[in-house]
Structures are given as C-alpha cells and as structure tokens.
Amino acid sequence: MKKTGLYIALSTIFFSLMEIALKSVGDAFNPIQINLIRFFIGGVVLLPFAIRTLRIQGMMIHWRDLGLFALTGFMCLVVSMTLFQLSIGYTQASTVAVVFSANPVFALIFSFLILHERLGRANLIAVIISIVGLLVIVNPANLTDPLGLTLAIISALTFGLYSIISRYGSVRRGYNGIVMTCFTFLVGSAELLALVEITNIPGIARAFSHIGWLKQFSAIPLFTNVNLHYFWFLFFVGVCVTGGGFAFYFLAMETSNVSTASLVFFIKPGLAPIFAALLIGDKIAVTTVIGIVIIIFGSVVTFMGNKRRETGKMRVE
C-alpha cells in the first residue's frame, strides 16, 4: 500500500506540473514540435514496461495492430494534444489543467454513446456536476479568453473519445493500458513526424504562411531549441511528466486497482492551480475556485461510484 501511495503521489505531481512546465517556455517550441519530442521520449520510457508486460502475458504486437495504434495515436497526439498545447498559449495553465482533467466525464458520455455501457447513478450525477463546474469556470456571461477555453474543452472531449477507442481496442486485442499507451505514443509520434515533414514542403509551407491561423503550422521545426539550454525542460516534460507520469500511474494500477489509481486525475484539478499560482503567478479567479471545487466534488462522486462497482464485482466473483 505504501508503494501505491508513492506511485500515486509521483504521478499526480508530474501530471499537475505538466501545463505549468509547457507554459513556462512560451514560444520556444512549436506546439506540434514539443508534442512530438515529449511523446516520443515518453513512449521510449514506457517501452521496457510494455515489453515486460507482453512477455509475462505471452503476447506480441502484430502488424494488424498498427491500424489500431495509428487511430489512437491520431486521436491522442495529433488531435487532442495539439489542441491542448495550443490552448496553453491562449489561456492560463491552471485553467487548462482543470478543464482537461474533466476528460473522464466526456469518456463516460462516449462510453454510453459508442460502447452502450450503462451510466450508473453515481456516474450520471458526476457528469452533471462536472459540466456545471466547467460552466462556472468558463463563465459564459463574462468570457475573456474564449479561444483558449474552447481549445481546452475540445482537447478534453477528444481525449475522452481517445480513451474509449483505446479501451475498445484493448478489449478486442487483449492489450493492457501500458501497452496501449506506449505504442499509441510511438506510432502517434511517427504521425506527428510525418505531419512536420509535410509542413516543410515548400509549396505547403508558403500556402500556410499566408493564412493567419495556419502560420504556426508552416515549416514546423524539428530540432530548433533542442539544445543544452532547454535540456532540463525537455527531460522533465519527456521523461518525468509524459513517461514517468504514465509509468507511475500504471504501476499504481498494478499494485491496487483502477479506481485507486484514478485518484491521480481527481487530485490534479485542485493541485495544478495551486502549483500554477506559486510557480508562474497565475491569478485564480473566484469563479475558477468555485468551479474547481465543483469538479473535484464530481470526481469524488465518480471515484465512490467506481469503488462501489468494483467492490460489487469482487463479491460476485
């Protein structure tokens, strides 16, 4: 149990510092460039754990599985994480952290719509509570940064969709979370690399450079600022946050259960804004504090519902 607590604590701290670290370097890295770098490093960090799991289970990756990893990689890295990275540039890191932490709510909705899983009473209440919390944070009556919040919400929504696709593929192919995540990161990184190369084709680069909102996707750099000056930043976001954060999360799951490990994402909405205020001076509005409290309450409801359901399954077995 002590190991589980340590894994949860480390994973929570790393994930809670993610938006702050990415915000701290400003425009030093292109959004797609930094996603490619950190998720490739994260995939490499997770690879030994994934190989160990495959050996224990007596399984191996087949060529036909690349289609699944290409889909999850596209949804997670190319779509969700690109929007996530863009949102950090337009609004406060603390706001993005809280909004993105609501992605399990969207996952519940997609599980109902796509997998036709029954929404228990606790989960339904949690969805409603979390949506109310998001509305309080967004504050439609006094919206000052609509673009950043919109990108953050769509990022959370598409990450929720990725989670359901990943779960569906995991059940169909028999891979656990760490294997799915590792190869999603590696294949998604290859997709991002292909995208970077496409944007460097002269004709496409010129066309993008003449369209306002596409300028930052014109001739995306690959190695710009990848140097000793940014070494510790790249080490932290790649090895600690992306690789270590997920590794410790899955280790917590192995030594306990899914509900206990999910505490990581329930604690983050409260911890991330505190870190943001202390480390980069983010000002937290009263409405944001109220929204955070509401979302944390919704997360607690989800946690209790999942815990009760897992306990019920154990009694049946």
Side-chain angles (χ1 to χ4, degrees):
M1 195 62 189
K2 287 182 179 179
K3 282 187 177 180
T4 301
L6 178 62
Y7 296 150
I8 289 174
L10 289 171
S11 183
T12 303
I13 290 170
F14 286 147
F15 283 149
S16 298
L17 289 169
M18 176 170 58
E19 293 83 1
I20 298 164
L22 294 171
K23 182 84 171 181
S24 67
V25 293
D27 299 326
F29 296 92
N30 178 279
I32 290 180
Q33 176 198 16
I34 191 60
N35 277 342
L36 168 56
I37 293 170
R38 78 184 185 95
F39 281 104
F40 175 72
I41 294 173
V44 171
V45 171
L46 289 175
L47 190 57
F49 296 95
I51 292 174
R52 172 176 166 270
T53 299
L54 289 170
R55 284 177 177 171
I56 291 173
Q57 295 178 339
M59 300 176 67
M60 61 183 296
I61 301 294
H62 300 281
W63 285 106
R64 67 174 183 273
D65 297 322
L66 290 180
L68 169 62
F69 296 131
L71 177 58
T72 55
F74 178 80
M75 284 304 304
C76 179
L77 275 66
V78 179
V79 179
S80 179
M81 288 296 100
T82 296
L83 293 172
F84 171 83
Q85 191 67 38
L86 288 170
S87 69
I88 291 175
Y90 289 105
T91 190
Q92 293 191 133
S94 56
T95 303
V96 176
V98 174
V99 171
F100 188 77
S101 293
N103 73 80
V105 174
F106 295 115
L108 285 173
I109 296 172
F110 284 124
S111 70
F112 173 74
L113 295 175
I114 298 174
L115 302 181
H116 307 294
E117 292 183 356
R118 180 177 169 273
L119 272 179
R121 184 186 303 172
N123 286 337
L124 184 59
I125 293 171
V127 167
I128 295 170
I129 292 173
S130 298
I131 290 174
V132 171
L134 282 174
L135 288 173
V136 172
I137 292 172
V138 172
N139 193 11
N142 188 29
L143 198 55
T144 56
D145 52 357
L147 181 57
L149 283 168
T150 300
L151 291 172
I153 290 171
I154 298 175
S155 173
L157 189 150
T158 50
F159 193 86
L161 179 58
Y162 147 71
S163 300
I164 296 307
I165 296 172
S166 181
R167 188 196 306 173
Y168 176 78
S170 177
V171 171
R172 289 289 297 271
R173 303 294 170 86
Y175 299 131
N176 72 351
I178 199 165
V179 173
M180 285 295 302
T181 303
C182 173
F183 288 97
T184 289
F185 284 3
L186 293 176
V187 176
S189 296
E191 292 173 330
L192 286 175
L193 178 60
L195 185 59
V196 167
E197 294 303 320
I198 289 171
T199 66
N200 279 277
I201 296 172
I204 294 176
R206 282 195 300 271
F208 282 12
S209 67
H210 288 96
I211 303 173
W213 65 278
L214 282 176
K215 280 185 179 179
Q216 61 186 316
F217 299 111
S218 172
I220 296 171
L222 187 57
F223 296 110
T224 299
N225 288 329
V226 180
N227 52 42
L228 288 176
H229 179 71
Y230 289 102
F231 172 80
W232 288 114
F233 163 75
L234 294 172
F235 178 85
F236 183 74
V237 298
V239 176
C240 299
V241 173
T242 310
F246 278 96
F248 287 124
Y249 171 70
F250 287 117
L251 284 171
M253 196 179 296
E254 284 183 10
T255 56
S256 57
N257 51 53
V258 175
S259 287
T260 302
S262 66
L263 279 171
V264 169
F265 298 105
F266 298 155
I267 299 170
K268 178 180 173 176
L271 191 59
I274 295 172
F275 281 156
L278 293 174
L279 298 176
I280 59 175
D282 265 12
K283 294 181 180 178
I284 307 176
V286 174
T287 52
T288 302
V289 174
I290 296 171
I292 289 170
V293 172
I294 294 172
I295 288 176
I296 291 174
F297 179 63
S299 297
V300 171
V301 172
T302 303
F303 173 74
M304 295 304 294
N306 290 341
K307 196 76 173 176
R308 191 177 297 114
R309 187 168 64 247
E310 284 190 5
T311 302
K313 284 182 180 178
M314 290 175 64
R315 286 174 179 172
V316 170
E317 292 172 357

